[in-house]
Amino acid sequence: RRRFFMFFVFGISQGKKALEYAKTVICAQCGGYGRYQVFMTYSYFSLFFIPIIKWNRHYYVQMSCCNTLYELDPEMGKAIARGEQVEILPQHLTLVNQGSRGYGYRRCSYCGYETAEDFEFCPKCGNRFSRD
C-alpha cells in the first residue's frame, strides 16, 4: 500500500512596490527641494511562493528631502500605477508622518531657509551660510 502526501505551501504577506513618478517640488514641511517617491503597499496571498491575490492597496508619497510621508489619494495612485501622466497636487496628499531634519541640515541665519545640500551660499537669499 502506497501513501501519498500532498503539501501546500501558502501564506499571506505584505508587499511594497515603487511606482515611477518624476517630479521635483519644494517641500511643504522642510522648505527644501525634494522628489516625490511614490510607492504602493498591499497584502497578498501566495501559493507555492507565487502571489495569487492582492488586496488592501494603499498609495504613499515620501519626500526625498526629509522623508515626510503622505498617503496619496487612491485614484491618483491607481492612475500612476497604470502609467498615466498625472500631477500630484497638495489636495491629493494626507500627512501621515512628518519627516525629520536630521544630521546635515543647514539653516540660513539671514532668511531661515533650511537645506541638506552642501551649499556655500543660501539658494533662497544668496547670503553665505555661516560656519557651524
Side-chain angles (χ1 to χ4, degrees), residues 25-62:
V25 296
I26 296 175
C27 180
Q29 298 298 318
C30 73
Y33 287 101
R35 287 183 328 279
Y36 285 154
Q37 298 168 325
V38 181
F39 63 94
M40 173 182 68
T41 61
Y42 55 91
S43 299
Y44 66 94
F45 174 78
S46 61
L47 182 62
F48 294 109
F49 306 105
I50 300 171
I52 304 295
I53 301 170
K54 292 181 184 176
W55 73 93
N56 198 25
R57 296 173 192 200
H58 291 275
Y59 300 90
Y60 295 95
V61 172
Q62 189 162 27

PDB file of all heavy atoms in Angstrom, residues 25-62:
ATOM      1  N   VAL A  25       9.841  69.107  -6.307  1.00  0.00           N
ATOM      2  CA  VAL A  25       8.985  70.133  -5.708  1.00  0.00           C
ATOM      3  C   VAL A  25       9.709  70.779  -4.531  1.00  0.00           C
ATOM      4  O   VAL A  25      10.724  70.271  -4.048  1.00  0.00           O
ATOM      5  CB  VAL A  25       7.655  69.528  -5.204  1.00  0.00           C
ATOM      6  CG1 VAL A  25       6.833  68.973  -6.340  1.00  0.00           C
ATOM      7  CG2 VAL A  25       7.910  68.460  -4.152  1.00  0.00           C
ATOM      8  N   ILE A  26       9.169  71.880  -4.067  1.00  0.00           N
ATOM      9  CA  ILE A  26       9.631  72.469  -2.812  1.00  0.00           C
ATOM     10  C   ILE A  26       8.766  71.866  -1.721  1.00  0.00           C
ATOM     11  O   ILE A  26       7.543  71.962  -1.752  1.00  0.00           O
ATOM     12  CB  ILE A  26       9.519  74.000  -2.831  1.00  0.00           C
ATOM     13  CG1 ILE A  26      10.441  74.576  -3.906  1.00  0.00           C
ATOM     14  CG2 ILE A  26       9.865  74.570  -1.457  1.00  0.00           C
ATOM     15  CD1 ILE A  26      10.331  76.068  -4.085  1.00  0.00           C
ATOM     16  N   CYS A  27       9.392  71.223  -0.765  1.00  0.00           N
ATOM     17  CA  CYS A  27       8.693  70.500   0.290  1.00  0.00           C
ATOM     18  C   CYS A  27       7.942  71.471   1.209  1.00  0.00           C
ATOM     19  O   CYS A  27       8.503  72.452   1.682  1.00  0.00           O
ATOM     20  CB  CYS A  27       9.699  69.683   1.098  1.00  0.00           C
ATOM     21  SG  CYS A  27       8.965  68.741   2.452  1.00  0.00           S
ATOM     22  N   ALA A  28       6.689  71.154   1.475  1.00  0.00           N
ATOM     23  CA  ALA A  28       5.867  71.980   2.356  1.00  0.00           C
ATOM     24  C   ALA A  28       6.291  71.845   3.819  1.00  0.00           C
ATOM     25  O   ALA A  28       5.999  72.722   4.633  1.00  0.00           O
ATOM     26  CB  ALA A  28       4.405  71.589   2.209  1.00  0.00           C
ATOM     27  N   GLN A  29       6.991  70.785   4.163  1.00  0.00           N
ATOM     28  CA  GLN A  29       7.383  70.554   5.556  1.00  0.00           C
ATOM     29  C   GLN A  29       8.733  71.167   5.899  1.00  0.00           C
ATOM     30  O   GLN A  29       8.878  71.821   6.917  1.00  0.00           O
ATOM     31  CB  GLN A  29       7.407  69.052   5.874  1.00  0.00           C
ATOM     32  CG  GLN A  29       6.069  68.379   5.741  1.00  0.00           C
ATOM     33  CD  GLN A  29       5.041  68.938   6.700  1.00  0.00           C
ATOM     34  OE1 GLN A  29       5.316  69.203   7.862  1.00  0.00           O
ATOM     35  NE2 GLN A  29       3.837  69.151   6.199  1.00  0.00           N
ATOM     36  N   CYS A  30       9.746  70.945   5.051  1.00  0.00           N
ATOM     37  CA  CYS A  30      11.098  71.418   5.396  1.00  0.00           C
ATOM     38  C   CYS A  30      11.558  72.592   4.535  1.00  0.00           C
ATOM     39  O   CYS A  30      12.578  73.205   4.816  1.00  0.00           O
ATOM     40  CB  CYS A  30      12.111  70.275   5.305  1.00  0.00           C
ATOM     41  SG  CYS A  30      12.518  69.755   3.628  1.00  0.00           S
ATOM     42  N   GLY A  31      10.842  72.892   3.447  1.00  0.00           N
ATOM     43  CA  GLY A  31      11.214  74.001   2.575  1.00  0.00           C
ATOM     44  C   GLY A  31      12.324  73.689   1.595  1.00  0.00           C
ATOM     45  O   GLY A  31      12.711  74.544   0.806  1.00  0.00           O
ATOM     46  N   GLY A  32      12.829  72.472   1.619  1.00  0.00           N
ATOM     47  CA  GLY A  32      13.904  72.086   0.710  1.00  0.00           C
ATOM     48  C   GLY A  32      13.368  71.537  -0.597  1.00  0.00           C
ATOM     49  O   GLY A  32      12.186  71.256  -0.739  1.00  0.00           O
ATOM     50  N   TYR A  33      14.263  71.418  -1.568  1.00  0.00           N
ATOM     51  CA  TYR A  33      13.896  70.792  -2.828  1.00  0.00           C
ATOM     52  C   TYR A  33      13.927  69.285  -2.636  1.00  0.00           C
ATOM     53  O   TYR A  33      14.857  68.736  -2.045  1.00  0.00           O
ATOM     54  CB  TYR A  33      14.869  71.175  -3.947  1.00  0.00           C
ATOM     55  CG  TYR A  33      14.685  72.591  -4.415  1.00  0.00           C
ATOM     56  CD1 TYR A  33      15.533  73.596  -3.982  1.00  0.00           C
ATOM     57  CD2 TYR A  33      13.650  72.931  -5.283  1.00  0.00           C
ATOM     58  CE1 TYR A  33      15.374  74.902  -4.402  1.00  0.00           C
ATOM     59  CE2 TYR A  33      13.474  74.231  -5.702  1.00  0.00           C
ATOM     60  CZ  TYR A  33      14.334  75.210  -5.259  1.00  0.00           C
ATOM     61  OH  TYR A  33      14.165  76.492  -5.667  1.00  0.00           O
ATOM     62  N   GLY A  34      12.897  68.616  -3.122  1.00  0.00           N
ATOM     63  CA  GLY A  34      12.845  67.170  -2.986  1.00  0.00           C
ATOM     64  C   GLY A  34      12.041  66.552  -4.101  1.00  0.00           C
ATOM     65  O   GLY A  34      11.375  67.241  -4.868  1.00  0.00           O
ATOM     66  N   ARG A  35      12.116  65.236  -4.201  1.00  0.00           N
ATOM     67  CA  ARG A  35      11.352  64.486  -5.198  1.00  0.00           C
ATOM     68  C   ARG A  35      10.255  63.699  -4.494  1.00  0.00           C
ATOM     69  O   ARG A  35      10.427  63.221  -3.379  1.00  0.00           O
ATOM     70  CB  ARG A  35      12.251  63.502  -5.943  1.00  0.00           C
ATOM     71  CG  ARG A  35      13.181  64.144  -6.924  1.00  0.00           C
ATOM     72  CD  ARG A  35      14.007  63.112  -7.683  1.00  0.00           C
ATOM     73  NE  ARG A  35      14.349  61.909  -6.947  1.00  0.00           N
ATOM     74  CZ  ARG A  35      15.355  61.803  -6.080  1.00  0.00           C
ATOM     75  NH1 ARG A  35      16.126  62.829  -5.830  1.00  0.00           N
ATOM     76  NH2 ARG A  35      15.598  60.670  -5.474  1.00  0.00           N
ATOM     77  N   TYR A  36       9.143  63.567  -5.202  1.00  0.00           N
ATOM     78  CA  TYR A  36       8.091  62.663  -4.740  1.00  0.00           C
ATOM     79  C   TYR A  36       8.536  61.241  -5.051  1.00  0.00           C
ATOM     80  O   TYR A  36       8.823  60.915  -6.198  1.00  0.00           O
ATOM     81  CB  TYR A  36       6.783  62.923  -5.475  1.00  0.00           C
ATOM     82  CG  TYR A  36       6.017  64.151  -5.058  1.00  0.00           C
ATOM     83  CD1 TYR A  36       5.158  64.766  -5.950  1.00  0.00           C
ATOM     84  CD2 TYR A  36       6.114  64.680  -3.778  1.00  0.00           C
ATOM     85  CE1 TYR A  36       4.420  65.882  -5.579  1.00  0.00           C
ATOM     86  CE2 TYR A  36       5.385  65.787  -3.402  1.00  0.00           C
ATOM     87  CZ  TYR A  36       4.536  66.382  -4.305  1.00  0.00           C
ATOM     88  OH  TYR A  36       3.808  67.474  -3.944  1.00  0.00           O
ATOM     89  N   GLN A  37       8.602  60.414  -4.040  1.00  0.00           N
ATOM     90  CA  GLN A  37       8.888  58.998  -4.225  1.00  0.00           C
ATOM     91  C   GLN A  37       7.582  58.258  -3.950  1.00  0.00           C
ATOM     92  O   GLN A  37       7.145  58.181  -2.803  1.00  0.00           O
ATOM     93  CB  GLN A  37      10.007  58.545  -3.290  1.00  0.00           C
ATOM     94  CG  GLN A  37      11.306  59.280  -3.559  1.00  0.00           C
ATOM     95  CD  GLN A  37      12.351  59.062  -2.482  1.00  0.00           C
ATOM     96  OE1 GLN A  37      12.050  58.949  -1.304  1.00  0.00           O
ATOM     97  NE2 GLN A  37      13.601  59.021  -2.907  1.00  0.00           N
ATOM     98  N   VAL A  38       6.947  57.757  -5.001  1.00  0.00           N
ATOM     99  CA  VAL A  38       5.618  57.163  -4.896  1.00  0.00           C
ATOM    100  C   VAL A  38       5.763  55.644  -4.801  1.00  0.00           C
ATOM    101  O   VAL A  38       6.531  55.035  -5.539  1.00  0.00           O
ATOM    102  CB  VAL A  38       4.755  57.542  -6.115  1.00  0.00           C
ATOM    103  CG1 VAL A  38       3.359  56.956  -5.995  1.00  0.00           C
ATOM    104  CG2 VAL A  38       4.693  59.062  -6.266  1.00  0.00           C
ATOM    105  N   PHE A  39       5.007  55.047  -3.857  1.00  0.00           N
ATOM    106  CA  PHE A  39       5.011  53.592  -3.750  1.00  0.00           C
ATOM    107  C   PHE A  39       3.649  53.091  -3.296  1.00  0.00           C
ATOM    108  O   PHE A  39       2.829  53.846  -2.784  1.00  0.00           O
ATOM    109  CB  PHE A  39       6.132  53.093  -2.823  1.00  0.00           C
ATOM    110  CG  PHE A  39       6.024  53.547  -1.392  1.00  0.00           C
ATOM    111  CD1 PHE A  39       5.390  52.754  -0.446  1.00  0.00           C
ATOM    112  CD2 PHE A  39       6.564  54.757  -0.991  1.00  0.00           C
ATOM    113  CE1 PHE A  39       5.302  53.168   0.875  1.00  0.00           C
ATOM    114  CE2 PHE A  39       6.483  55.174   0.320  1.00  0.00           C
ATOM    115  CZ  PHE A  39       5.851  54.375   1.269  1.00  0.00           C
ATOM    116  N   MET A  40       3.427  51.815  -3.522  1.00  0.00           N
ATOM    117  CA  MET A  40       2.182  51.157  -3.161  1.00  0.00           C
ATOM    118  C   MET A  40       2.501  50.049  -2.159  1.00  0.00           C
ATOM    119  O   MET A  40       3.491  49.334  -2.314  1.00  0.00           O
ATOM    120  CB  MET A  40       1.539  50.548  -4.411  1.00  0.00           C
ATOM    121  CG  MET A  40       0.319  49.704  -4.134  1.00  0.00           C
ATOM    122  SD  MET A  40      -0.394  48.954  -5.631  1.00  0.00           S
ATOM    123  CE  MET A  40       0.862  47.783  -6.101  1.00  0.00           C
ATOM    124  N   THR A  41       1.666  49.927  -1.131  1.00  0.00           N
ATOM    125  CA  THR A  41       1.763  48.788  -0.226  1.00  0.00           C
ATOM    126  C   THR A  41       0.506  47.942  -0.422  1.00  0.00           C
ATOM    127  O   THR A  41      -0.545  48.459  -0.815  1.00  0.00           O
ATOM    128  CB  THR A  41       1.876  49.224   1.249  1.00  0.00           C
ATOM    129  OG1 THR A  41       0.708  49.952   1.620  1.00  0.00           O
ATOM    130  CG2 THR A  41       3.121  50.058   1.494  1.00  0.00           C
ATOM    131  N   TYR A  42       0.618  46.663  -0.174  1.00  0.00           N
ATOM    132  CA  TYR A  42      -0.510  45.762  -0.383  1.00  0.00           C
ATOM    133  C   TYR A  42      -0.305  44.486   0.422  1.00  0.00           C
ATOM    134  O   TYR A  42       0.800  44.173   0.864  1.00  0.00           O
ATOM    135  CB  TYR A  42      -0.679  45.436  -1.868  1.00  0.00           C
ATOM    136  CG  TYR A  42       0.569  44.867  -2.508  1.00  0.00           C
ATOM    137  CD1 TYR A  42       0.809  43.499  -2.561  1.00  0.00           C
ATOM    138  CD2 TYR A  42       1.538  45.719  -3.058  1.00  0.00           C
ATOM    139  CE1 TYR A  42       1.959  42.985  -3.135  1.00  0.00           C
ATOM    140  CE2 TYR A  42       2.688  45.217  -3.639  1.00  0.00           C
ATOM    141  CZ  TYR A  42       2.885  43.849  -3.670  1.00  0.00           C
ATOM    142  OH  TYR A  42       4.028  43.351  -4.229  1.00  0.00           O
ATOM    143  N   SER A  43      -1.396  43.759   0.616  1.00  0.00           N
ATOM    144  CA  SER A  43      -1.356  42.418   1.201  1.00  0.00           C
ATOM    145  C   SER A  43      -1.561  41.441   0.049  1.00  0.00           C
ATOM    146  O   SER A  43      -2.238  41.763  -0.930  1.00  0.00           O
ATOM    147  CB  SER A  43      -2.471  42.241   2.225  1.00  0.00           C
ATOM    148  OG  SER A  43      -2.319  43.168   3.276  1.00  0.00           O
ATOM    149  N   TYR A  44      -0.970  40.254   0.172  1.00  0.00           N
ATOM    150  CA  TYR A  44      -1.170  39.277  -0.894  1.00  0.00           C
ATOM    151  C   TYR A  44      -1.158  37.855  -0.346  1.00  0.00           C
ATOM    152  O   TYR A  44      -0.551  37.560   0.685  1.00  0.00           O
ATOM    153  CB  TYR A  44      -0.142  39.431  -2.015  1.00  0.00           C
ATOM    154  CG  TYR A  44       1.292  39.119  -1.632  1.00  0.00           C
ATOM    155  CD1 TYR A  44       1.825  37.849  -1.840  1.00  0.00           C
ATOM    156  CD2 TYR A  44       2.115  40.094  -1.093  1.00  0.00           C
ATOM    157  CE1 TYR A  44       3.137  37.562  -1.494  1.00  0.00           C
ATOM    158  CE2 TYR A  44       3.416  39.816  -0.751  1.00  0.00           C
ATOM    159  CZ  TYR A  44       3.935  38.561  -0.957  1.00  0.00           C
ATOM    160  OH  TYR A  44       5.224  38.276  -0.610  1.00  0.00           O
ATOM    161  N   PHE A  45      -1.882  36.994  -1.050  1.00  0.00           N
ATOM    162  CA  PHE A  45      -1.934  35.575  -0.763  1.00  0.00           C
ATOM    163  C   PHE A  45      -1.068  34.877  -1.793  1.00  0.00           C
ATOM    164  O   PHE A  45      -1.184  35.133  -2.990  1.00  0.00           O
ATOM    165  CB  PHE A  45      -3.379  35.065  -0.862  1.00  0.00           C
ATOM    166  CG  PHE A  45      -3.500  33.574  -0.729  1.00  0.00           C
ATOM    167  CD1 PHE A  45      -3.439  32.982   0.517  1.00  0.00           C
ATOM    168  CD2 PHE A  45      -3.664  32.774  -1.845  1.00  0.00           C
ATOM    169  CE1 PHE A  45      -3.542  31.608   0.646  1.00  0.00           C
ATOM    170  CE2 PHE A  45      -3.763  31.400  -1.729  1.00  0.00           C
ATOM    171  CZ  PHE A  45      -3.707  30.813  -0.472  1.00  0.00           C
ATOM    172  N   SER A  46      -0.168  34.017  -1.329  1.00  0.00           N
ATOM    173  CA  SER A  46       0.692  33.298  -2.271  1.00  0.00           C
ATOM    174  C   SER A  46       0.524  31.790  -2.094  1.00  0.00           C
ATOM    175  O   SER A  46       0.273  31.296  -0.996  1.00  0.00           O
ATOM    176  CB  SER A  46       2.158  33.684  -2.067  1.00  0.00           C
ATOM    177  OG  SER A  46       2.583  33.348  -0.772  1.00  0.00           O
ATOM    178  N   LEU A  47       0.650  31.102  -3.196  1.00  0.00           N
ATOM    179  CA  LEU A  47       0.589  29.646  -3.218  1.00  0.00           C
ATOM    180  C   LEU A  47       1.857  29.164  -3.896  1.00  0.00           C
ATOM    181  O   LEU A  47       2.154  29.568  -5.029  1.00  0.00           O
ATOM    182  CB  LEU A  47      -0.659  29.188  -3.988  1.00  0.00           C
ATOM    183  CG  LEU A  47      -0.909  27.692  -4.068  1.00  0.00           C
ATOM    184  CD1 LEU A  47      -1.110  27.099  -2.674  1.00  0.00           C
ATOM    185  CD2 LEU A  47      -2.130  27.415  -4.936  1.00  0.00           C
ATOM    186  N   PHE A  48       2.623  28.349  -3.210  1.00  0.00           N
ATOM    187  CA  PHE A  48       3.926  27.905  -3.694  1.00  0.00           C
ATOM    188  C   PHE A  48       4.804  29.106  -4.052  1.00  0.00           C
ATOM    189  O   PHE A  48       5.443  29.137  -5.098  1.00  0.00           O
ATOM    190  CB  PHE A  48       3.794  26.946  -4.886  1.00  0.00           C
ATOM    191  CG  PHE A  48       3.159  25.642  -4.533  1.00  0.00           C
ATOM    192  CD1 PHE A  48       1.886  25.351  -4.982  1.00  0.00           C
ATOM    193  CD2 PHE A  48       3.817  24.730  -3.739  1.00  0.00           C
ATOM    194  CE1 PHE A  48       1.289  24.146  -4.656  1.00  0.00           C
ATOM    195  CE2 PHE A  48       3.229  23.518  -3.399  1.00  0.00           C
ATOM    196  CZ  PHE A  48       1.953  23.225  -3.859  1.00  0.00           C
ATOM    197  N   PHE A  49       4.766  30.123  -3.215  1.00  0.00           N
ATOM    198  CA  PHE A  49       5.578  31.334  -3.319  1.00  0.00           C
ATOM    199  C   PHE A  49       5.234  32.205  -4.535  1.00  0.00           C
ATOM    200  O   PHE A  49       5.989  33.080  -4.901  1.00  0.00           O
ATOM    201  CB  PHE A  49       7.081  30.999  -3.325  1.00  0.00           C
ATOM    202  CG  PHE A  49       7.481  30.155  -2.156  1.00  0.00           C
ATOM    203  CD1 PHE A  49       7.746  28.810  -2.310  1.00  0.00           C
ATOM    204  CD2 PHE A  49       7.582  30.713  -0.887  1.00  0.00           C
ATOM    205  CE1 PHE A  49       8.113  28.023  -1.228  1.00  0.00           C
ATOM    206  CE2 PHE A  49       7.934  29.934   0.201  1.00  0.00           C
ATOM    207  CZ  PHE A  49       8.201  28.587   0.029  1.00  0.00           C
ATOM    208  N   ILE A  50       4.102  31.955  -5.151  1.00  0.00           N
ATOM    209  CA  ILE A  50       3.644  32.767  -6.281  1.00  0.00           C
ATOM    210  C   ILE A  50       2.460  33.607  -5.808  1.00  0.00           C
ATOM    211  O   ILE A  50       1.454  33.050  -5.363  1.00  0.00           O
ATOM    212  CB  ILE A  50       3.219  31.880  -7.474  1.00  0.00           C
ATOM    213  CG1 ILE A  50       4.414  31.041  -7.945  1.00  0.00           C
ATOM    214  CG2 ILE A  50       2.660  32.735  -8.603  1.00  0.00           C
ATOM    215  CD1 ILE A  50       4.052  29.987  -8.954  1.00  0.00           C
ATOM    216  N   PRO A  51       2.563  34.944  -5.891  1.00  0.00           N
ATOM    217  CA  PRO A  51       1.440  35.788  -5.461  1.00  0.00           C
ATOM    218  C   PRO A  51       0.205  35.520  -6.338  1.00  0.00           C
ATOM    219  O   PRO A  51       0.286  35.549  -7.568  1.00  0.00           O
ATOM    220  CB  PRO A  51       1.939  37.217  -5.668  1.00  0.00           C
ATOM    221  CG  PRO A  51       3.414  37.101  -5.815  1.00  0.00           C
ATOM    222  CD  PRO A  51       3.702  35.735  -6.326  1.00  0.00           C
ATOM    223  N   ILE A  52      -0.918  35.241  -5.691  1.00  0.00           N
ATOM    224  CA  ILE A  52      -2.136  34.907  -6.415  1.00  0.00           C
ATOM    225  C   ILE A  52      -3.140  36.069  -6.362  1.00  0.00           C
ATOM    226  O   ILE A  52      -3.667  36.475  -7.387  1.00  0.00           O
ATOM    227  CB  ILE A  52      -2.801  33.633  -5.827  1.00  0.00           C
ATOM    228  CG1 ILE A  52      -1.817  32.454  -5.837  1.00  0.00           C
ATOM    229  CG2 ILE A  52      -4.087  33.299  -6.556  1.00  0.00           C
ATOM    230  CD1 ILE A  52      -1.404  31.993  -7.205  1.00  0.00           C
ATOM    231  N   ILE A  53      -3.383  36.606  -5.180  1.00  0.00           N
ATOM    232  CA  ILE A  53      -4.384  37.653  -4.993  1.00  0.00           C
ATOM    233  C   ILE A  53      -3.763  38.797  -4.202  1.00  0.00           C
ATOM    234  O   ILE A  53      -3.090  38.578  -3.196  1.00  0.00           O
ATOM    235  CB  ILE A  53      -5.604  37.117  -4.212  1.00  0.00           C
ATOM    236  CG1 ILE A  53      -6.252  35.952  -4.958  1.00  0.00           C
ATOM    237  CG2 ILE A  53      -6.623  38.218  -3.973  1.00  0.00           C
ATOM    238  CD1 ILE A  53      -7.302  35.233  -4.144  1.00  0.00           C
ATOM    239  N   LYS A  54      -4.008  40.034  -4.657  1.00  0.00           N
ATOM    240  CA  LYS A  54      -3.567  41.228  -3.924  1.00  0.00           C
ATOM    241  C   LYS A  54      -4.796  41.986  -3.441  1.00  0.00           C
ATOM    242  O   LYS A  54      -5.791  42.065  -4.164  1.00  0.00           O
ATOM    243  CB  LYS A  54      -2.744  42.155  -4.816  1.00  0.00           C
ATOM    244  CG  LYS A  54      -1.405  41.615  -5.218  1.00  0.00           C
ATOM    245  CD  LYS A  54      -0.665  42.622  -6.084  1.00  0.00           C
ATOM    246  CE  LYS A  54       0.648  42.049  -6.582  1.00  0.00           C
ATOM    247  NZ  LYS A  54       1.329  42.977  -7.493  1.00  0.00           N
ATOM    248  N   TRP A  55      -4.690  42.578  -2.250  1.00  0.00           N
ATOM    249  CA  TRP A  55      -5.765  43.408  -1.727  1.00  0.00           C
ATOM    250  C   TRP A  55      -5.184  44.417  -0.740  1.00  0.00           C
ATOM    251  O   TRP A  55      -3.992  44.406  -0.489  1.00  0.00           O
ATOM    252  CB  TRP A  55      -6.861  42.565  -1.068  1.00  0.00           C
ATOM    253  CG  TRP A  55      -6.496  41.970   0.248  1.00  0.00           C
ATOM    254  CD1 TRP A  55      -6.724  42.513   1.482  1.00  0.00           C
ATOM    255  CD2 TRP A  55      -5.826  40.734   0.486  1.00  0.00           C
ATOM    256  NE1 TRP A  55      -6.236  41.685   2.460  1.00  0.00           N
ATOM    257  CE2 TRP A  55      -5.682  40.581   1.880  1.00  0.00           C
ATOM    258  CE3 TRP A  55      -5.325  39.735  -0.342  1.00  0.00           C
ATOM    259  CZ2 TRP A  55      -5.065  39.483   2.453  1.00  0.00           C
ATOM    260  CZ3 TRP A  55      -4.714  38.634   0.250  1.00  0.00           C
ATOM    261  CH2 TRP A  55      -4.593  38.522   1.618  1.00  0.00           C
ATOM    262  N   ASN A  56      -6.036  45.290  -0.235  1.00  0.00           N
ATOM    263  CA  ASN A  56      -5.633  46.297   0.761  1.00  0.00           C
ATOM    264  C   ASN A  56      -4.514  47.200   0.229  1.00  0.00           C
ATOM    265  O   ASN A  56      -3.526  47.447   0.904  1.00  0.00           O
ATOM    266  CB  ASN A  56      -5.211  45.614   2.064  1.00  0.00           C
ATOM    267  CG  ASN A  56      -5.215  46.565   3.230  1.00  0.00           C
ATOM    268  OD1 ASN A  56      -5.934  47.561   3.215  1.00  0.00           O
ATOM    269  ND2 ASN A  56      -4.414  46.281   4.228  1.00  0.00           N
ATOM    270  N   ARG A  57      -4.708  47.698  -0.987  1.00  0.00           N
ATOM    271  CA  ARG A  57      -3.692  48.550  -1.616  1.00  0.00           C
ATOM    272  C   ARG A  57      -3.796  49.975  -1.066  1.00  0.00           C
ATOM    273  O   ARG A  57      -4.880  50.530  -0.970  1.00  0.00           O
ATOM    274  CB  ARG A  57      -3.866  48.570  -3.125  1.00  0.00           C
ATOM    275  CG  ARG A  57      -3.636  47.220  -3.734  1.00  0.00           C
ATOM    276  CD  ARG A  57      -3.960  47.209  -5.186  1.00  0.00           C
ATOM    277  NE  ARG A  57      -3.989  45.801  -5.622  1.00  0.00           N
ATOM    278  CZ  ARG A  57      -3.869  45.418  -6.853  1.00  0.00           C
ATOM    279  NH1 ARG A  57      -3.726  46.306  -7.814  1.00  0.00           N
ATOM    280  NH2 ARG A  57      -3.915  44.152  -7.158  1.00  0.00           N
ATOM    281  N   HIS A  58      -2.642  50.519  -0.725  1.00  0.00           N
ATOM    282  CA  HIS A  58      -2.539  51.909  -0.290  1.00  0.00           C
ATOM    283  C   HIS A  58      -1.379  52.536  -1.048  1.00  0.00           C
ATOM    284  O   HIS A  58      -0.363  51.884  -1.302  1.00  0.00           O
ATOM    285  CB  HIS A  58      -2.283  52.011   1.220  1.00  0.00           C
ATOM    286  CG  HIS A  58      -3.447  51.577   2.042  1.00  0.00           C
ATOM    287  ND1 HIS A  58      -4.480  52.411   2.370  1.00  0.00           N
ATOM    288  CD2 HIS A  58      -3.736  50.380   2.613  1.00  0.00           C
ATOM    289  CE1 HIS A  58      -5.359  51.760   3.101  1.00  0.00           C
ATOM    290  NE2 HIS A  58      -4.937  50.524   3.256  1.00  0.00           N
ATOM    291  N   TYR A  59      -1.540  53.798  -1.373  1.00  0.00           N
ATOM    292  CA  TYR A  59      -0.524  54.521  -2.138  1.00  0.00           C
ATOM    293  C   TYR A  59       0.052  55.626  -1.265  1.00  0.00           C
ATOM    294  O   TYR A  59      -0.685  56.320  -0.565  1.00  0.00           O
ATOM    295  CB  TYR A  59      -1.144  55.107  -3.414  1.00  0.00           C
ATOM    296  CG  TYR A  59      -1.715  54.029  -4.299  1.00  0.00           C
ATOM    297  CD1 TYR A  59      -3.038  53.620  -4.169  1.00  0.00           C
ATOM    298  CD2 TYR A  59      -0.926  53.397  -5.253  1.00  0.00           C
ATOM    299  CE1 TYR A  59      -3.563  52.619  -4.962  1.00  0.00           C
ATOM    300  CE2 TYR A  59      -1.445  52.391  -6.048  1.00  0.00           C
ATOM    301  CZ  TYR A  59      -2.755  52.002  -5.902  1.00  0.00           C
ATOM    302  OH  TYR A  59      -3.261  51.004  -6.685  1.00  0.00           O
ATOM    303  N   TYR A  60       1.374  55.783  -1.313  1.00  0.00           N
ATOM    304  CA  TYR A  60       2.059  56.751  -0.470  1.00  0.00           C
ATOM    305  C   TYR A  60       3.046  57.575  -1.289  1.00  0.00           C
ATOM    306  O   TYR A  60       3.540  57.125  -2.324  1.00  0.00           O
ATOM    307  CB  TYR A  60       2.823  56.046   0.655  1.00  0.00           C
ATOM    308  CG  TYR A  60       1.925  55.328   1.628  1.00  0.00           C
ATOM    309  CD1 TYR A  60       1.647  53.981   1.478  1.00  0.00           C
ATOM    310  CD2 TYR A  60       1.345  56.015   2.690  1.00  0.00           C
ATOM    311  CE1 TYR A  60       0.817  53.316   2.366  1.00  0.00           C
ATOM    312  CE2 TYR A  60       0.508  55.357   3.576  1.00  0.00           C
ATOM    313  CZ  TYR A  60       0.247  54.015   3.408  1.00  0.00           C
ATOM    314  OH  TYR A  60      -0.588  53.371   4.287  1.00  0.00           O
ATOM    315  N   VAL A  61       3.340  58.753  -0.771  1.00  0.00           N
ATOM    316  CA  VAL A  61       4.366  59.622  -1.326  1.00  0.00           C
ATOM    317  C   VAL A  61       5.330  59.941  -0.191  1.00  0.00           C
ATOM    318  O   VAL A  61       4.906  60.389   0.874  1.00  0.00           O
ATOM    319  CB  VAL A  61       3.770  60.931  -1.885  1.00  0.00           C
ATOM    320  CG1 VAL A  61       4.864  61.901  -2.276  1.00  0.00           C
ATOM    321  CG2 VAL A  61       2.863  60.643  -3.059  1.00  0.00           C
ATOM    322  N   GLN A  62       6.612  59.692  -0.419  1.00  0.00           N
ATOM    323  CA  GLN A  62       7.640  60.038   0.563  1.00  0.00           C
ATOM    324  C   GLN A  62       8.553  61.075  -0.063  1.00  0.00           C
ATOM    325  O   GLN A  62       8.954  60.942  -1.216  1.00  0.00           O
ATOM    326  CB  GLN A  62       8.435  58.808   0.984  1.00  0.00           C
ATOM    327  CG  GLN A  62       9.359  59.099   2.145  1.00  0.00           C
ATOM    328  CD  GLN A  62       9.811  57.822   2.823  1.00  0.00           C
ATOM    329  OE1 GLN A  62       9.867  56.760   2.215  1.00  0.00           O
ATOM    330  NE2 GLN A  62      10.129  57.918   4.091  1.00  0.00           N
TER     331      GLN A  62
END
